[in-house]
């Protein structure tokens, strides 16, 4: 990794954020916050979807792979001007005053430009709150404020299921209707109460892969202090420990 501090800066009107080849050039805001940047490297290049940030307001931005979504990379119409990839995390670092502000910015950027990669999970946190968004290529996502008494285990596949997994949820307005249109979800209930985001949007090979399921089961065993039955208890977004977690563990 490479570590660096990027100071706050004022930008001239008309400035844009440089982007990967084929991705959208986002208009820059007038003033950007300073941030500490951890750049993950591969050979001589940075990894577009792996860097982490913490800005001068104490907002942290990290991400995890979501494997492969069902939205095809060949579908150019689901993004604007190539969509946004690395600059999603950079924009959050430069602009978010709080984690909740970062959640708002993320949704606005995805609604406008669309997400370029196949899928990714973004965690935005400060000392008071944490939010996770699980993105699909294009303009589709589900997010939540992580409950204060819950722990999220991230196994590198989609883990949101219903649109009420947590008390405070966020999602694209057409998250259900788009899945129906694409043939990824066939409603069995007239109120769509059987909709499962992970099942509808995840490519099955990366959702039910042995490594991901083992990782989730092992993480939840550590958190809960007991074995987790994936067949009976499923693959939830978060779990609720019965006692405080030993941080050293």
């Amino acid at each position: 990794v490479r570590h660096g501090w990027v100071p706050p800066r004022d930008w001239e009107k008309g400035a844009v954020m440089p982007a990967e080849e084929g991705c959208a050039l986002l208009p820059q805001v007038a003033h950007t916050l300073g941030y500490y940047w951890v750049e993950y490297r591969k050979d001589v290049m940075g990894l577009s979807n792996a860097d982490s940030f913490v800005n001068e307001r104490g907002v942290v931005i990290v991400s995890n792979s979501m494997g492969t979504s069902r939205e095809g990379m060949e579908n150019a119409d689901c993004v604007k001007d190539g969509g946004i990839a690395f600059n999603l995390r950079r924009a959050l670092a430069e602009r978010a005053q709080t984690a909740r502000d970062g959640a708002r910015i993320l949704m606005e950027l995805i609604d406008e430009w669309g997400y370029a990669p196949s899928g990714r999970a973004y965690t935005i946190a400060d000392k008071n709150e944490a939010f996770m968004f699980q993105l699909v290529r294009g303009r589709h996502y589900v997010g939540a404020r992580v409950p204060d008494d819950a722990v999220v285990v991230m196994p590198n596949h989609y883990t949101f299921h219903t649109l009420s997994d947590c008390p405070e949820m966020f999602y694209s307005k057409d998250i259900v209707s788009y899945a129906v249109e694409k043939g990824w979800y066939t409603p069995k209930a007239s109120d769509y109460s059987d909709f499962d985001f992970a099942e509808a949007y995840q490519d099955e090979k990366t959702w039910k892969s042995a490594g991901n399921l083992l990782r989730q089961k092992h993480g939840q065993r550590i958190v809960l202090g007991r074995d987790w039955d994936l067949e009976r208890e499923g693959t939830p977004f978060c779990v609720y420990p019965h006692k405080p977690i030993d941080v050293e563990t």
Side-chain angles (χ1 to χ4, degrees):
V1 299
R2 185 169 67 180
H3 303 257
W5 167 254
V6 179
R9 181 176 171 181
D10 294 320
W11 298 82
E12 294 182 0
K13 186 176 180 179
V16 297
M17 299 173 66
E20 306 95 318
E21 183 178 357
C23 286
L25 300 176
L26 274 63
Q28 187 57 281
V29 295
H31 177 78
T32 53
L33 301 170
Y35 54 88
Y36 174 66
W37 176 13
V38 179
E39 182 184 20
Y40 294 83
R41 309 284 288 177
K42 181 179 181 182
D43 301 323
V44 296
M45 301 295 291
L47 294 173
S48 179
N49 297 314
D51 293 11
S52 300
F53 298 86
V54 55
N55 72 17
E56 63 180 283
R57 297 288 189 264
V59 180
V60 174
I61 301 98
V62 297
S63 73
N64 284 274
S65 169
M66 286 285 89
T68 305
S69 72
R70 289 188 177 181
E71 185 64 80
M73 296 300 293
E74 71 280 358
N75 182 7
D77 294 336
C78 69
V79 295
K80 175 182 174 181
D81 297 337
I84 182 173
F86 177 84
N87 277 340
L88 178 58
R89 71 192 65 235
R90 174 178 165 179
L92 294 173
E94 291 182 341
R95 305 176 186 185
Q97 300 289 330
T98 64
R100 185 170 290 272
D101 188 39
R104 175 190 61 80
I105 293 168
L106 179 145
M107 289 186 284
E108 289 180 353
L109 290 173
I110 295 302
D111 288 342
E112 173 71 16
W113 301 94
Y115 192 60
S118 181
R120 196 87 186 163
Y122 281 76
T123 301
I124 311 166
D126 59 23
K127 66 185 180 67
N128 297 314
E129 298 183 294
F131 298 82
M132 179 179 283
F133 285 83
Q134 296 181 3
L135 313 180
V136 179
R137 173 172 165 79
R139 296 177 173 85
H140 295 102
Y141 55 82
V142 173
R145 180 189 184 277
V146 180
D148 293 337
D149 55 348
V151 174
V152 172
V153 176
M154 174 44 58
N156 299 127
H157 59 233
Y158 294 113
T159 54
F160 284 116
H161 295 284
T162 75
L163 300 181
S164 57
D165 283 354
C166 294
E168 190 172 0
M169 298 281 293
F170 313 89
Y171 43 86
S172 309
K173 61 182 179 181
D174 65 339
I175 195 72
V176 176
S177 60
Y178 188 77
V180 173
E181 176 188 330
K182 298 288 283 188
W184 300 337
Y185 162 57
T186 301
K188 296 179 181 178
S190 58
D191 61 355
Y192 307 123
S193 57
D194 61 329
F195 174 73
D196 187 313
F197 168 73
E199 186 173 358
Y201 280 87
Q202 183 84 68
D203 176 81
E204 189 170 345
K205 293 180 181 178
T206 51
W207 179 32
K208 296 182 178 180
S209 68
N212 282 340
L213 292 175
L214 179 64
R215 200 173 330 195
Q216 189 167 18
K217 183 176 180 179
H218 179 62
Q220 286 164 189
R221 180 183 60 79
I222 293 173
V223 170
L224 298 175
R226 65 173 178 82
D227 285 336
W228 183 267
D229 187 337
L230 284 171
E231 290 296 325
R232 181 174 59 84
E233 299 177 279
T235 57
F237 169 66
C238 61
V239 291
Y240 295 84
H242 295 294
K243 61 180 180 179
I245 299 171
D246 181 351
V247 175
E248 292 184 359
T249 302

